[in-house]
Amino acid sequence: MRGGDADAAIYWLTRMLEGGEQPLYIARRLVRFASEDIGLADTNALNQAVSCYQACHFLGMPECDVVLAQCVAYLALAPKSIAVYKALGTAKKAVQESFGQNEGVPLHLRNAPTKLMKEMGYGKGYIYTPDDPSAEQSFLPPSLRGHKFLDWPIRNNTHE
């Protein structure tokens, strides 16, 4: 599937099924593939894979073979991106190596449900960005400000 060859993907799927592999195991691997290898390049891929898993769960074999084949073909033909996978790896490394000193959540991002928390500065200066999308606000700890984990052209919450 990584190489985009739907014919080969369907062939190998069939070999796995005919060899006795459990359909739910295959479906779980497709869910992972949809996020790891396709990710943001086609956000419908994860929906396809999760739907495939659910269909396999309540259909079982032999009926779910066509569901698996449809999903395998979709994932093979989908555009690929490992940007999220790489970003997660970079973030894990930063946390594990204490890069950023594993600082606490910045005070302006903390919820202030009590008077004491408000007095301590929790939530002070927080900007609700859906109301003001152009507002500048940092969401990372001070030592990580400006650090980019995700290498993706769209850097905000809109899909242009």
Side-chain angles (χ1 to χ4, degrees), residues 11 35 49 57 79 92:
Y11 171 78
S35 283
H57 181 70
K92 282 181 180 180

Side-chain angles (χ1 to χ4, degrees), residues 2-142:
R2 283 187 177 125
D5 187 337
D7 294 314
I10 291 171
Y11 171 78
W12 290 113
L13 167 69
T14 304
R15 286 270 306 262
M16 291 173 74
L17 291 171
E18 292 297 314
E21 189 59 72
Q22 294 297 310
L24 290 179
Y25 169 78
I26 297 169
R28 277 194 303 274
R29 297 303 305 146
L30 296 176
V31 171
R32 172 66 185 216
F33 182 88
S35 283
E36 182 178 330
D37 291 272
I38 297 170
L40 296 175
D42 180 351
T43 55
N44 285 322
L46 183 57
N47 293 335
Q48 287 282 331
V50 170
S51 294
C52 172
Y53 179 88
Q54 291 172 335
C56 288
H57 181 70
F58 53 77
L59 282 177
M61 282 296 282
E63 291 87 357
C64 75
D65 61 350
V66 71
V67 175
L68 286 164
Q70 176 183 330
C71 186
V72 162
Y74 185 94
L75 299 179
L77 297 172
K80 310 296 190 282
S81 170
I82 59 170
V84 170
Y85 180 74
K86 288 169 126 178
L88 180 61
T90 303
K92 282 181 180 180
K93 184 177 178 184
V95 169
Q96 291 166 353
E97 294 177 359
S98 293
F99 177 65
Q101 302 152 23
N102 288 331
E103 302 160 84
V105 175
L107 285 177
H108 71 282
L109 297 178
R110 295 183 190 190
N111 190 24
T114 68
K115 181 180 176 187
L116 176 63
M117 290 174 161
K118 287 178 187 169
E119 290 170 359
M120 293 174 64
Y122 283 36
K124 185 176 183 183
Y126 175 75
I127 301 166
Y128 185 66
T129 50
D131 285 341
D132 191 357
S134 63
E136 292 292 322
Q137 181 171 222
S138 178
F139 298 97
L140 287 170

